[in-house]
Amino acid sequence: MSRILLTHSPDTLANYYGPRSLAGLRALGDVILNSNDRPLEGELLVKAAADCDLVVSYRQSPAPAELFERLPKLVAFLRCAIDIRNVDVAAASKAGVLVTQASAGFVTSVSELVFGLMIDLSRGITSAALSYRLGKVPPAAMGRELKGSTLGVIGYGAIGREVVRLGEAFGMKVLVCDPYSSGVETVSLEKLLAESDYIVPLAVASAETENLIGEKQFRAMKKGAVFVNASRGNLVDEAALVRALDSGRLGGCALDVGRAPDQMPTPAIAARADVIATPHAAGLTLPAIEHQSMETVAQAAEILKGRAPKGAVNADHWTRKALLK
């Protein structure tokens, strides 16, 4: 019987994998669960996976070269997420280990939260609620409407397209900046920043987009613009963001991501009275989580049959499939 290690810690197992997916995985083999209070990594991961054919990994379990070198029985490393930046794919390929990633199942979830945050910032919902909880009656502040406002979307991937669709449904004028997209009219980043009332970066995190929004970009924004980041913390120069907030240039800021561990918002910024923050939870809905976790079950089923599944990133280097025979 095949042995499958699931690296999720007990407190992340329910939220980020779920009972239905766990049952599906157990139908394929003997599943070893992580009993530690954190997702497995380092020496603990090597020891736990010693006799396993497959590792199904939480996003916080890195896979450095050493992992593949020290696990000669490992056939495949399945990431229950899109992000595989902490997986050494080159080392896996050299060792003959297949690496897979999940596809985006959180497009609706993230897009809906973006608009929830935009509305909250526009109407002072969190601010008013906090005042009432402190026993104070907040002043009735003038709000802003999304309809008729300009929404700037940076990045026209799956989430970007859905945010554009929802923005247009709200009656917003939408500007898109993405030099690599086709099928949509785009504008320069400079034009988008200068004209947008709401700015939402949704570009892929890469070396090219590191600190995409920095000092120059915050200064180029329209005074009073609302900034919402539910993509990746890597896109934003946080020191520049703090200066933009201190200057009063921004009309609002909401963060679901940042540069704290696990892409969480940085606590010092999240604690500010002029910021709304959520703990990297934009994609945390049952349909979104089950999309990715059930996909790893389907991938595992294909792998155990000796077939490279959808989502494989290095199938041409998968030589350890011979161990399955």
Side-chain angles (χ1 to χ4, degrees):
M1 182 177 243
S2 298
R3 288 172 62 83
I4 305 169
L5 173 66
L6 194 59
T7 74
H8 297 60
S9 61
D11 63 331
T12 60
L13 187 62
N15 268 358
Y16 293 95
Y17 205 75
R20 194 164 75 96
S21 301
L22 179 57
L25 210 57
R26 282 178 164 152
L28 299 175
D30 182 16
V31 177
I32 295 89
L33 297 178
N34 172 18
S35 60
N36 294 274
D37 61 359
R38 293 179 56 81
L40 288 173
E41 61 179 297
E43 193 64 30
L44 289 176
L45 176 53
V46 171
K47 288 181 178 179
D51 294 315
C52 292
D53 303 289
L54 310 181
V55 169
V56 177
S57 162
Y58 183 59
R59 65 190 186 217
Q60 286 190 60
S61 290
E66 182 186 18
L67 180 74
F68 305 112
E69 293 165 0
R70 295 180 60 189
L71 295 175
K73 296 181 181 179
L74 185 65
V75 173
F77 186 91
L78 294 72
R79 170 53 53 84
C80 189
I82 290 178
D83 195 344
I84 57 171
R85 286 177 294 165
N86 64 355
V87 178
D88 192 331
V89 178
S93 297
K94 182 178 178 181
V97 178
L98 184 70
V99 175
T100 71
Q101 62 187 154
S103 61
F106 43 71
V107 172
T108 296
S109 178
V110 174
S111 301
E112 288 183 356
L113 183 66
V114 165
F115 281 87
L117 294 171
M118 286 165 53
I119 292 169
D120 191 326
L121 290 167
S122 301
R123 306 305 296 269
I125 298 169
T126 293
S127 177
L130 289 174
S131 291
Y132 275 121
R133 289 172 190 171
L134 292 172
K136 303 175 183 178
V137 178
M142 181 65 69
R144 301 168 64 172
E145 294 184 359
L146 298 189
K147 184 177 181 180
S149 299
T150 299
L151 169 64
V153 179
I154 304 169
Y156 196 63
I159 298 174
R161 290 192 293 273
E162 180 65 2
V163 169
V164 168
R165 185 187 73 81
L166 291 174
E168 291 174 341
F170 270 102
M172 304 180 81
K173 175 184 177 181
V174 182
L175 300 177
V176 175
C177 175
D178 188 332
Y180 303 106
S181 70
S182 59
V184 64
E185 182 180 349
T186 62
V187 300
S188 68
L189 181 57
E190 292 73 21
K191 180 178 174 65
L192 181 146
L193 296 173
E195 298 184 9
S196 296
D197 301 297
Y198 298 84
I199 297 167
V200 183
L202 293 168
V204 175
S206 67
E208 182 183 0
T209 59
E210 184 74 19
N211 289 329
L212 178 69
I213 307 298
E215 192 78 39
K216 178 182 176 182
Q217 289 72 34
F218 281 117
R219 288 183 182 276
M221 291 178 188
K222 179 190 293 188
K223 185 170 176 56
V226 170
F227 182 73
V228 177
N229 188 11
S231 180
R232 286 287 182 262
N234 305 70
L235 302 178
V236 180
D237 180 338
E238 292 194 337
L241 171 60
V242 168
R243 287 190 289 272
L245 289 166
D246 288 342
S247 73
R249 185 167 192 82
L250 296 179
C253 176
L255 305 170
D256 183 59
V257 292
R259 293 183 181 269
D262 194 29
Q263 285 280 320
M264 295 279 188
T266 299
I269 300 176
R272 293 179 60 118
D274 52 2
V275 171
I276 296 174
T278 48
H280 196 176
L284 188 53
T285 63
L286 186 59
I289 292 305
E290 283 203 337
H291 173 98
Q292 293 194 321
S293 59
M294 289 300 291
E295 197 166 81
T296 65
V297 174
Q299 289 172 336
E302 285 294 287
I303 290 167
L304 293 174
K305 294 174 184 175
R307 299 195 291 254
K310 178 182 177 183
V313 300
N314 63 341
D316 291 343
H317 299 278
W318 187 30
T319 58
R320 286 197 190 174
K321 63 182 173 184
L323 298 177
L324 295 169
K325 297 179 181 178

